[in-house]
């Protein structure tokens, strides 16, 4: 009958399974929230209180520690604001170059038939599958020969389309109708105009979602920056080295305060754009 909407009732086993999964997700979420709250509280305590009573509330709340971070947090002669600027530069440019090159390569391979288009797909799968351990020496030598060690130009090494992002964009463009391009061709548009004005805007949702996931990863990363950019430290590198200096500097309060300040930008972006991320990217591929 019109106006009636039938819904299939879940079986008892399905209800139990969904309840257990929901409880598991809830537990994981609460554990992350607990870590953030505990770190924030630790940043408001003295170093002695953190060591002697790590799980108690502070006897006196020292919110000034979050201001003191900007004055005392210094690594290799670089202050907090300098490390923040480095983090913004390398995370934004890395995510932008990586997404653009992967998107462009995937578009060319999916919409244009040429010799080697299938080979690009195969090479990407091989690169993704093979382990990267053991190539650090060769990569460092390559970067040294390119002159990008300790250089802001090091971001150019992110301009590679042979990565997991390529597979996402490949799936997206294969399912995108070519009629958009044909309509643009009838209006006299060339191939570059079709890509930049017609096809690329169609991918802005997935582009934004993948950009955010990559940005969060690079923003929180310190391993590669510690090796290739020792004199241009980012905030995660600063936290890592500051933590290593704890045997000489008893300031765990400043360390926790710095950790909270660092996580704020990523937390804000995730809260604002979490629907964009979850609605456009899944583990198995692209959602329509």
């Amino acid at each position: 009958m019109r106006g009636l909407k039938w819904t299939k009732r879940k079986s008892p086993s399905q209800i139990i399974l969904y309840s257990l999964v929901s409880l598991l997700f809830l537990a994981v979420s609460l554990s992350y929230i607990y870590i953030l709250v505990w770190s924030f509280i630790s940043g408001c305590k003295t170093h002695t209180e953190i060591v002697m009573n790590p799980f108690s509330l502070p006897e006196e709340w020292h919110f000034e520690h979050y201001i003191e971070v900007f004055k005392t947090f210094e690594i290799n002669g670089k202050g907090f604001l300098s490390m923040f600027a480095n983090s913004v530069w390398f995370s934004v440019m890395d995510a932008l170059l990586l997404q653009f090159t992967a998107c462009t390569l995937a578009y060319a391979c999916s919409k244009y038939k040429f010799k080697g288009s299938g080979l690009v797909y195969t090479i990407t799968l091989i690169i993704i599958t093979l382990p990267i351990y053991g190539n650090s020496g060769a990569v460092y030598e390559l970067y040294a020969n390119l002159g990008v060690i300790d250089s802001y130009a090091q971001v150019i090494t992110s301009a590679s389309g042979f990565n997991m992002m390529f597979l996402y964009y490949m799936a997206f463009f294969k399912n995108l109708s070519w009629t958009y391009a044909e309509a643009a061709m009838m209006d006299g548009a060339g191939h570059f105009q079709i890509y930049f004005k017609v096809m690329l805007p169609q991918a802005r949702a997935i582009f934004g979602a993948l950009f955010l996931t990559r940005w969060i990863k690079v923003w929180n990363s310190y391993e590669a920056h510690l090796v290739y950019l020792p004199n241009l430290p980012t905030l995660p590198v600063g936290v890592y080295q500051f933590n290593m200096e704890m045997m000489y500097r008893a300031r765990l309060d400043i360390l926790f305060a710095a950790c909270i300040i660092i996580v704020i930008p990523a937390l804000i972006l995730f809260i604002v754009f979490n629907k964009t991320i979850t609605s456009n990217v899944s583990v198995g591929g692209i959602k329509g």
Side-chain angles (χ1 to χ4, degrees):
M1 295 177 61
R2 182 178 299 178
L4 293 178
K5 185 176 181 180
W6 297 91
T7 58
K8 184 179 179 181
R9 296 186 61 184
K10 294 182 177 65
S11 64
S13 60
Q14 288 178 317
I15 294 176
I16 294 174
L17 177 61
Y18 292 157
S19 299
L20 291 176
V21 171
S22 298
L23 288 174
L24 177 61
F25 286 157
L26 178 61
V28 173
S29 301
L30 290 177
S31 68
Y32 288 141
I33 294 174
Y34 172 77
I35 292 173
L36 289 175
V37 173
W38 180 80
S39 298
F40 172 77
I41 293 175
S42 297
C44 296
K45 299 164 70 174
T46 63
H47 175 83
T48 303
E49 285 182 290
I50 295 174
V51 175
M52 301 302 296
N53 300 297
F55 301 107
S56 66
L57 292 175
E59 296 180 2
E60 182 179 353
W61 292 82
H62 295 278
F63 295 105
E64 68 274 8
H65 290 169
Y66 289 91
I67 304 299
E68 193 176 349
V69 168
F70 296 93
K71 301 177 182 178
T72 62
F73 200 73
E74 182 176 323
I75 301 295
N76 295 338
K78 305 293 183 180
F80 186 91
L81 294 179
S82 178
M83 287 185 281
F84 179 83
N86 290 339
S87 291
V88 171
W89 168 260
F90 288 111
S91 61
V92 171
M93 293 303 298
D94 175 279
L96 186 62
L97 289 174
L98 185 70
Q99 297 308 312
F100 180 74
T101 52
C103 182
T104 304
L105 183 61
Y107 170 75
C109 292
S110 61
K111 293 303 183 183
Y112 294 94
K113 301 301 179 182
F114 59 92
K115 292 182 179 181
S117 59
L119 181 61
V120 173
Y121 182 81
T122 303
I123 292 175
T124 302
L125 289 178
I126 294 174
I127 292 175
I128 294 173
T129 305
L130 290 178
I132 61 174
Y133 304 105
N135 68 346
S136 301
V139 172
Y140 189 91
E141 184 177 1
L142 174 63
Y143 287 2
N145 292 334
L146 291 174
V148 295
I149 299 294
D150 264 340
S151 171
Y152 288 105
Q154 199 262 346
V155 293
I156 64 172
T157 59
S158 303
S160 171
F162 300 95
N163 49 64
M164 180 63 73
M165 308 301 178
F166 171 85
L167 302 181
Y168 285 108
Y169 288 115
M170 191 79 171
F172 174 81
F173 284 120
K174 278 190 173 181
N175 292 313
L176 186 63
S177 176
W178 187 246
T179 55
Y180 297 105
E182 292 175 344
M185 288 179 183
M186 293 179 64
D187 293 333
H191 293 288
F192 286 99
Q193 289 177 309
I194 291 173
Y195 175 62
F196 285 103
K197 294 185 178 181
V198 179
M199 307 303 280
L200 188 58
Q202 301 274 357
R204 63 180 179 273
I206 182 176
F207 190 99
L210 294 177
F211 175 88
L212 287 173
T213 55
R214 177 67 182 182
W215 179 87
I216 291 174
K217 177 182 178 181
V218 179
W219 178 267
N220 294 322
S221 176
Y222 70 90
E223 298 93 342
H225 295 163
L226 191 64
V227 175
Y228 305 123
L229 302 165
N231 294 317
L232 294 174
T234 58
L235 286 175
V237 172
V239 169
Y240 173 80
Q241 294 189 350
F242 195 86
N243 184 49
M244 293 295 101
E245 294 178 5
M246 280 299 100
M247 62 181 66
Y248 308 108
R249 303 170 64 177
R251 293 306 306 268
L252 283 175
D253 49 344
I254 298 299
L255 179 64
F256 282 113
C259 290
I260 290 297
I261 293 175
I262 291 172
V263 81
I264 287 176
L267 188 62
I268 292 175
L269 284 178
F270 180 79
I271 293 174
V272 174
F273 297 104
N274 72 89
K275 290 185 178 179
T276 301
I277 297 174
T278 57
S279 64
N280 289 286
V281 182
S282 65
V283 175
I286 308 302
K287 291 185 177 181

